[in-house]
Amino acid sequence: MKMKKDLWIGGEYRSASSYMELKNPFNLESLAQIGIASHEDVQAAIAAAEQAQVKMAELPAFERAEILEKVVQFLKDDREECARIIALEAAKPLKAARTEVDRTIMTYTFAAHEARKIHGETVPMDAAPGGQGRLAFTVREPLGVIAAITPFNFPMNLVAHKVGPAIAAGNSVILKPASQTPLSAYKIAEYFHRAGLPAGALNVITGSGRSIGDILMKDERIKMITFTGSPEVGRYIRENSGLKRVTLELGSNSALIVDEGVGLDQVIPRIVNGAFAYQGQVCISIQRIFVHENIFETFVKQFVSETQKLKAGNPLEEDTDISAMITRFDVQRTQSWVDEAVKNGAELRLGGGAEEGIFQPTVLVNVPTTEKISCEEVFAPVVHINTFTEFNEAINLVNDSKYGLQAGIFTNDIHKALQAAKKLEVGGVMINEIPTFRVDQMPYGGVKMSGMGREGIKYAVEEMTELKLISFKTV
Ligand code: NAP
């Protein structure tokens, strides 16, 4: 699969002045040479996007929808090829990579639907004295050029969550994918080109996030930065983007409450999946589980036994559940956080070590909440299980976090479910579900350090359009 990938600017590949080697995170074999965008390349991408924006704003909704529908068809035709690209560049086990492609298909499908539905509303101006004799309504106009910066962990679907609504709303896009996962982004650009998107309406530039990001943030021609990634980078972008619109989808240390009386046989396989799918490198991976003291030991025993069924190995093998973490550095970081927690009193019930790039699924119990493994985002196949006695205490434990993306609760008690819905400080409360649950049309985003703004196509379209008021004086 070794290849050279140039930059995608103005509807064609353009040579870069230098290239970086892309390696497979599982076996460290070279996959491709990836272009590094220079200052001039970024400027060229911005100019191409600005020019294309004029055409995009004029494209009727049905044509934007049809382009998105064609991309959906290409993805369906090439489902297996796309899954293999994700598996290779991100070490995502093939089963999970296929699920990601299926979700990407849904995301662009929703974007196509949304393109046909963007509308404003009438405004009753005469509700205020002096407002009578007017017919007023709003329209939603595209913002212009949008810069999209995406992380490695869902390289196709998180790109879709930005490119889909941006194109649906008539914007043009400069996409800067994570350095580890550029291949799926270039693939999507090719699909949009084949689907008839005006040249320059989607540009893909690769290279260091820091240097490309600095140029994008300073350039006045860019009207919005939509970012998904780590809280540190998110904050940096927020603080350096001036008056641009900024949406941030950041990290979390997602928590789950399991109340007494819950049927553990049904929920545990699902919880294990929420904790360890894609090596725990999911922004809503379950990291903290709070279990009622009366069922704690049974829960831990069953949870460990279910986790032991997971098969570690090559992401390209059909039965692999767990593979390499994204970098060897992240393996070492995880190891040091686990070791530190054990040294400070946590009890290791499973895993706790690594082999090559694969960190074993790890279960810790009774972890002090001041440990990094609890209060920071671990982003690794590590989960901790602690107990609670009173339900209020469990709510407080979940809220005792600088993050707030999604939280889950399993309970048979409707009053507790409603209490959780009201009191949990997160962007989404999943009742009788794991916090890792997401379908692509629902509003999705966080509070606190988990970010600002919402994705989920309809909600992203709102962020990516400007509301304009038009008022006719009729008498
Ligand atoms: P990351 O290191 O923050 O990188 C994300 C993107 O930002 C990459 O394209 C990166 O480029 C770029 N970047 C890095 N430094 C930058 C800078 N100074 N200015 C502008 N862009 C910069 O995150 P990651 O490791 O790829 O992804 C993991 C994080 O994403 C986790 O915290 C996870 O929770 C979060 N996440 C959140 C959501 C959500 O929806 N809330 C979803 C998925 C992931 P390079 O790769 O070239 O450095």
Side-chain angles (χ1 to χ4, degrees), residues 388-433:
F388 69 89
T389 310
E390 296 296 328
F391 188 69
N392 258 337
E393 182 195 349
I395 300 266
N396 291 339
L397 285 164
V398 174
N399 286 343
D400 181 19
S401 167
K402 57 189 173 187
Y403 300 109
L405 196 44
Q406 294 201 142
I409 167 173
F410 285 104
T411 181
N412 295 329
D413 183 334
I414 184 74
H415 301 290
K416 288 180 185 164
L418 291 172
Q419 197 184 342
K422 189 169 161 63
K423 296 235 175 104
L424 289 174
E425 297 160 359
V426 287
V429 177
M430 301 294 132
I431 294 164
N432 289 334
E433 184 53 278

Side-chain angles (χ1 to χ4, degrees), residues 208-227:
S208 140
R210 179 77 190 240
S211 51
I212 293 176
D214 280 349
I215 303 171
L216 296 174
M217 278 176 254
K218 287 200 183 76
D219 199 295
E220 301 264 312
R221 291 169 290 178
I222 292 173
K223 302 302 175 208
M224 175 185 188
I225 301 203
T226 167
F227 172 79

Side-chain angles (χ1 to χ4, degrees), residues 149-154 158 176-180 207-210 213-214 217 227-231 233 236-237 249-252 282-283 377 379 405 438 444 450:
I149 304 177
T150 52
F152 75 84
N153 63 336
F154 284 86
L158 292 180
K176 153 65 188 103
S179 290
Q180 183 55 50
S208 140
R210 179 77 190 240
D214 280 349
M217 278 176 254
F227 172 79
T228 300
S230 59
V233 177
Y236 177 80
I237 290 175
E249 301 288 342
L250 311 177
S252 192
V282 179
C283 48
E377 179 183 39
F379 221 58
L405 196 44
R438 182 178 186 189
Y444 180 79
S450 291

